Amino acid sequence: MATVNPAAPGRRRPLRRVLLAIALIAAGLVAWYWKPINGYAITGASVGARVACSCHYLGGRSLSDCRKDFEPGMELITLSADEDAKSVTARFPLLARQTATYRAGEGCRLEAWHD
């Protein structure tokens, strides 16, 4: 006959409560700071798209080389180019995406924002 350890389920409850408290605090912080976090993500994606578009289409450099022109803190920004449309899209994971398009005589311009 197997014995049951009555102390085992009791040990899980404090751990669950601590994890729940941490999750609630994290969710509260994200909700409280959402506007600045989202603003930084949009700004980073916009700067990344504009800088990479100018570097790639005006400077003739590769996108991987254009990343050298990014400011510190922009490591999460990813870049992709559409050679047919002559545009570069920069993305901040899950939060922001911005595209800059090259036009002869005008340079690189960001697409209009849609809020």
Side-chain angles (χ1 to χ4, degrees), residues 6-74:
R11 289 184 189 169
R12 291 184 190 160
R13 285 191 179 155
L15 179 61
R16 284 184 185 175
R17 287 181 184 157
V18 168
L19 291 176
L20 180 62
I22 291 171
L24 288 174
I25 289 170
L29 287 172
V30 168
W32 183 264
Y33 290 108
W34 176 255
K35 201 166 192 168
I37 290 170
N38 194 36
Y40 288 134
I42 291 170
T43 301
S46 298
V47 169
R50 175 72 169 75
V51 167
C53 179
S54 297
C55 170
H56 186 64
Y57 292 109
L58 293 173
R61 295 165 48 198
S62 68
L63 285 182
S64 60
D65 191 43
C66 292
R67 290 193 65 80
K68 296 176 187 174
D69 295 342
F70 282 7
E71 294 292 324
M74 293 181 67

